[in-house]
Amino acid sequence: MKRILPILFCLYTTVIPATEAVNIVTVGAKGDGKTDNTQIIQRAIDEASARQEQVFIPAGTFVTGPLLLKSNTSLYLDKGAILQGIADIEIYQKKFTTWGMSGIPAFLFALNADNIAISGEGVIDGQGQHQVFQHGNDADGGPLRPRLLYIKSSRNIKISGITFQNPAYWTQFYQDCDGVVIRDIKVYAHSNWNNDGIDIDSRNVQISGCEIDCDDDAICFKSESEEICRDIIVQNCTLRSNCNAIKFGTASQGGFQNIKVSDCRILPASEDNIRKWYKHYPWIGVNEKSGLAGIAIESVDGGIIDNLSISQIKMDGIQTPIFIRLGDRKRNKQGEISTLRNISINHIKANATGRLSCSITGIPEQPIEEIHISHISFNLQGGASQADYSVQVKEARDAYPENRMFDSILPAHGFYIRHAQHVYFDKISIKTRNKDIRPCFWLEDVKDAVFYSCLSNGQKAIIKGCSDSSFSTGF
């Protein structure tokens, strides 16, 4: 058994010695909620960055088009300050192009910059609820809506204290950055489709004390290139989502390595304007707003997932506490399938809704390896009868990974495990609020699984499955 290594790395903490400040009002900006302040604020950023001074945004609503953040940019939003994106979808793409970029644009953007700080008690507002941005899910096409904040290939980033609200697309994306600290921010994102809270594809990152309330994934680790998203600590955050609260993927080209998430609270989102899972998928058995998975770990694009630690998480209002998937949606440049190994999940408490159980599934030629799950206490809905499920579960090897991807109720009320080896369960307690005929664990093509002190409704958990699996138990 390979020991899961501690996650150690150095975080950058020095940003800018901002002894002077440029007040945008003194240089002509108007906080009346109407005036277009783009040129004035961009000039203030350019000049203050060159002098390593801070840009001070006082109370008021300052409307502006997209802004380019330079090296040594420090924005401070005072209490009552709102930096509001202009409601003109075309201007974002035009400006993005003038910056030499293509693809999804942004309201605030930085490229190849050092030492960026955004702090204060104010608000960054994308006006994503405006009709000009309402074009549905990006999977269905349509014009490209801007991210609220996009920082790419930059170093030494510090975001603290502020509130992000009403993005037209993702709230914030840190891509190929080195040294990111996100602390004590708030996100409220229920204004549009694809409203993720924080998207991270970087290295040497610390996220702490954040409150995220969003329609799409709350904290989403991504890997959109061959570079590995790695060396990250997330702690003491409150996450509310109609999708996945803590998610690795779906983009997983390089993969994820050395990431620790701990001491977080997962709760139902404040709004459900789009998903309404209970309406669109009645067979999953939910009758109220709910999130998909509390923890979703997905390796489907040829990358690696290695050495993840998730602990001390409390969940309410989710359908599936743990969803782990290795698939074959895409492959890396060498034509290799994804790998997924060395995952530690412990001290998790969950109150779940619906009948979608947890699952750990690989594919026949590429099993998941070394999964350690311990100190688990789940209160599940249960309620499945013999007629509700089948032991024949489709492979869906190239399907989009989601807790309902198999299009059926799985044959276990606790964990369905398939194509995996060296899986360890210790001190597991699962209760169902309604009588459920399914066993607690169902195994298919599982090698060397170990179950120690596993209870279902206060009794020794029942483990069933196919003859091609091997496991041992103990108390």
Side-chain angles (χ1 to χ4, degrees):
M1 180 178 76
K2 181 177 178 180
R3 186 170 68 92
I4 296 181
L5 300 176
I7 300 168
L8 300 173
F9 55 89
C10 177
L11 286 172
Y12 301 81
T13 56
T14 301
V15 181
I16 307 166
T19 57
E20 302 291 337
V22 176
N23 188 320
I24 63 170
V25 170
T26 64
V27 295
K30 295 182 179 180
D32 57 10
K34 298 181 294 183
T35 302
D36 183 349
N37 295 288
T38 307
Q39 293 185 357
I40 293 171
I41 297 177
Q42 186 64 69
R43 189 182 307 119
I45 290 172
D46 295 345
E47 295 176 358
S49 300
R51 298 192 298 264
Q52 295 194 21
E53 295 176 351
Q54 188 179 77
V55 176
F56 179 81
I57 302 173
T61 300
F62 297 90
V63 177
T64 174
L67 299 170
L68 181 64
L69 309 181
K70 311 287 186 65
S71 287
N72 301 314
T73 294
S74 175
L75 299 181
Y76 185 88
L77 285 77
D78 202 13
K79 186 175 182 179
I82 301 175
L83 189 64
Q84 188 173 77
I86 199 166
D88 181 348
I89 195 169
E90 294 183 0
I91 197 172
Y92 293 95
Q93 194 64 62
K94 289 178 180 178
K95 182 62 72 172
F96 208 49
T97 301
T98 66
W99 293 334
M101 301 297 294
S102 60
I104 299 169
F107 174 41
L108 303 179
F109 176 64
L111 175 66
N112 293 322
D114 294 330
N115 307 323
I116 293 175
I118 304 175
S119 61
E121 300 179 71
V123 174
I124 298 176
D125 186 338
Q127 291 204 83
Q129 76 282 4
H130 197 283
Q131 189 58 41
V132 299
F133 298 122
Q134 297 297 320
H135 296 282
N137 194 340
D138 64 353
D140 300 327
L144 299 176
R145 294 166 279 129
R147 301 178 176 107
L148 204 47
L149 173 65
Y150 179 22
I151 301 180
K152 178 177 173 62
S153 303
S154 298
R155 293 147 297 280
N156 197 12
I157 313 301
K158 187 173 182 179
I159 314 295
S160 62
I162 61 170
T163 296
F164 293 93
Q165 68 183 29
N166 303 324
Y169 192 63
W170 297 353
T171 304
Q172 52 201 307
F173 185 29
Y174 305 87
Q175 184 179 30
D176 188 34
C177 294
D178 193 350
V180 179
V181 176
I182 305 170
R183 182 174 295 136
D184 300 326
I185 69 167
K186 293 182 174 65
V187 173
Y188 196 85
H190 289 280
S191 52
N192 216 313
W193 284 86
N194 314 108
N195 273 183
D196 287 8
I198 300 176
D199 290 276
I200 292 285
D201 185 357
S202 292
R203 54 203 174 273
N204 297 318
V205 178
Q206 185 179 51
I207 302 171
S208 62
C210 299
E211 297 179 16
I212 300 172
D213 192 334
C214 59
D215 181 70
D216 216 314
D217 303 323
I219 293 181
C220 188
F221 303 94
K222 295 185 179 294
S223 181
E224 297 194 339
S225 71
E226 296 294 310
E227 293 293 325
I228 294 176
C229 176
R230 59 180 173 81
D231 301 327
I232 299 172
I233 291 177
V234 178
Q235 57 189 0
N236 298 320
C237 293
T238 300
L239 310 175
R240 298 173 181 265
S241 169
N242 290 318
C243 293
N244 302 286
I246 301 165
K247 180 178 178 181
F248 297 82
T250 300
S252 48
Q253 295 180 40
F256 311 99
Q257 193 169 48
N258 303 337
I259 299 176
K260 181 178 180 179
V261 182
S262 66
D263 300 287
C264 292
R265 188 80 171 94
I266 297 171
L267 296 165
S270 294
E271 301 181 40
D272 182 8
N273 304 317
I274 295 173
R275 305 298 170 174
K276 304 185 188 305
W277 306 118
Y278 56 89
K279 178 180 178 181
H280 300 297
Y281 301 97
W283 59 271
I284 67 178
V286 298
N287 54 17
E288 57 189 349
K289 68 179 180 182
S290 58
L292 297 179
I295 300 166
I297 301 173
E298 304 166 0
S299 187
V300 297
D301 292 339
I304 67 168
I305 292 184
D306 189 12
N307 194 27
L308 307 185
S309 172
I310 304 172
S311 64
Q312 300 291 347
I313 310 294
K314 294 182 179 180
M315 311 178 188
D316 283 287
I318 44 84
Q319 299 167 13
T320 304
I322 298 171
F323 173 79
I324 302 176
R325 173 63 176 171
L326 187 156
D328 190 19
R329 185 177 74 159
K330 298 177 184 176
R331 299 192 180 187
N332 62 21
K333 292 181 179 179
Q334 292 73 42
E336 298 168 331
I337 299 173
S338 299
T339 60
L340 198 162
R341 58 179 178 260
N342 298 320
I343 310 298
S344 173
I345 300 174
N346 62 81
H347 293 90
I348 311 294
K349 293 183 178 180
N351 290 302
T353 184
R355 298 179 297 174
L356 292 176
S357 55
C358 299
S359 62
I360 301 171
T361 60
I363 55 177
E365 70 273 37
Q366 192 75 301
I368 292 172
E369 302 178 78
E370 300 287 349
I371 306 297
H372 303 252
I373 299 177
S374 67
H375 296 89
I376 298 296
S377 178
F378 290 168
N379 186 315
L380 308 179
Q381 178 174 305
S385 66
Q386 191 71 51
D388 291 325
Y389 73 94
S390 169
V391 298
Q392 303 298 321
V393 180
K394 67 180 184 180
E395 287 288 345
R397 60 179 296 135
D398 60 352
Y400 186 87
E402 206 88 276
N403 65 341
R404 63 179 184 279
M405 65 179 294
F406 301 109
D407 295 327
S408 65
I409 303 298
L410 297 174
H413 69 251
F415 283 84
Y416 173 73
I417 309 166
R418 180 170 67 181
H419 308 314
Q421 57 189 23
H422 309 304
V423 181
Y424 304 89
F425 288 88
D426 184 17
K427 295 179 176 61
I428 309 297
S429 176
I430 295 177
K431 296 180 180 179
T432 57
R433 297 187 295 275
N434 299 288
K435 183 180 179 180
D436 196 306
I437 197 171
R438 297 173 295 174
C440 188
F441 297 92
W442 183 276
L443 279 57
E444 183 178 342
D445 186 26
V446 176
K447 303 296 188 294
D448 299 322
V450 176
F451 299 86
Y452 186 83
S453 188
C454 295
L455 301 176
S456 173
N457 293 314
Q459 304 295 318
K460 184 177 179 180
I462 296 174
I463 304 166
K464 291 186 177 181
C466 301
S467 58
D468 58 2
S469 296
S470 60
F471 64 89
S472 60
T473 63
F475 269 83

